Amino acid sequence: MAEAERIIGTPDTPDAAGGGKERPDSEGTPAAGEPGPGPAAAGASGTGEAEATAARPRGRRRIAVLFAVAAFAYAIDLISKLIVVAKLEHHPPIEIVGDWLKFEAIRNAGAAFGFGEAFTVIFTMIAAAVIVVIARLARKLYSLPWAIALGLLLGGALGNLTDRIFRAPGVFEGAVVDFIAPKHFAVFNLADSAIVCGGILIVLLSFRGLDPDGTVHKD
C-alpha cells in the first residue's frame, strides 16, 4: 500500500500541502517560508533600474544642448540677415579682406550657395522635413557631439526656412538673404555655414562609429 500511494500520489489537502504553506501568487511572490530572489538577481535588477534612471536625465541634457545650439545658430543667422537687409542691401559691397572676402547682399531663391534656383518650393519642403526628422531623433539622443551636430543642422534649416516663408516673393517661395562672398566662390549666409558644419561633424562621427544614442560600433 505504501508503494502504491507513493506512485499514485495523495490528494492535495491543507495538511498534505506542507503544513499550511501558501502557494506563490500570480505575480510570482514567493510563498511563506520559501527563499526569495537571490542577491545576484536583486543586484542585477537594481543595477538596471539605476542605469535607466541615470540615462533619463542624461538624455534630457543632450536634448537641451541640441536646442540651445539650434537657438544660437538661428539667432545669429536671423540677426545677421536683419542687419544686412537694413544696412547693406542696395549698397555697394563691403570689402573685408580685399577682393578675397566681401559682404554683399544677395537674394537667393535656390538652395545653399545658390544652387537650384528653380526648385525653391522643393527645397522648402526638404528643410521642413529635416526639422521634423531631427525633432523625432532627439528622443533617442544620448551623444553630446551628435547633439551639437544636429543642433547646427536644425538652427541652419530654421534660419533658411524662415526666409522661405516670410520673404518675397511669397510663402514657401521666399528668397534667402546671402551676404558672405568669398572670391571665386558662391555667396552664402550663416545658416548655410551651420548646415555645412553640422553635416561635416555628422560624417566624422559616422566614420568613428558613434551613434546618436551614444553607442560605438565597429564595422
Side-chain angles (χ1 to χ4, degrees):
M1 289 294 293
E3 182 66 19
E5 289 180 356
R6 186 182 66 79
I7 295 174
I8 298 173
T10 57
D12 290 336
T13 62
D15 294 335
K21 290 182 180 179
E22 297 179 357
R23 303 176 65 85
D25 59 21
S26 60
E27 296 183 359
T29 305
E34 294 182 3
S45 177
T47 302
E49 292 178 358
E51 289 177 351
T53 302
R56 284 193 292 268
R58 186 170 70 249
R60 287 194 292 267
R61 287 195 294 269
R62 300 299 181 264
I63 294 174
V65 170
L66 186 156
F67 287 111
V69 172
F72 176 76
Y74 177 73
I76 61 173
D77 176 69
L78 182 61
I79 293 171
S80 65
K81 289 174 179 175
L82 292 175
I83 295 174
V84 166
V85 171
K87 303 295 184 181
L88 189 57
E89 199 167 35
H90 308 303
H91 290 79
I94 299 176
E95 293 185 355
I96 305 302
V97 185
D99 291 336
W100 293 98
L101 179 62
K102 299 179 180 180
F103 284 169
E104 181 179 5
I106 293 178
R107 297 295 182 111
N108 171 25
F113 307 109
F115 298 116
E117 293 187 3
F119 303 99
T120 305
V121 176
I122 295 176
F123 291 133
T124 303
M125 296 174 61
I126 291 174
V130 168
I131 293 170
V132 173
V133 170
I134 293 174
R136 291 178 60 88
L137 185 61
R139 296 180 299 176
K140 301 180 180 179
L141 186 64
Y142 292 95
S143 168
L144 180 60
W146 270 95
I148 295 173
L150 293 177
L152 290 171
L153 282 179
L154 180 59
L158 284 171
N160 284 338
L161 184 60
T162 300
D163 283 359
R164 302 291 188 195
I165 295 175
F166 295 105
R167 296 194 187 277
V171 178
F172 300 122
E173 297 181 352
V176 174
V177 176
D178 290 336
F179 62 94
I180 304 174
K183 187 176 182 180
H184 304 309
F185 196 73
V187 183
F188 59 96
N189 56 40
L190 295 181
D192 297 333
S193 302
I195 292 172
V196 171
C197 291
I200 292 174
L201 183 54
I202 287 175
V203 171
L204 294 176
L205 294 174
S206 299
F207 273 119
R208 292 187 57 188
L210 180 62
D211 293 333
D213 62 359
T215 59
V216 179
H217 65 273
K218 294 182 179 180
D219 296 332

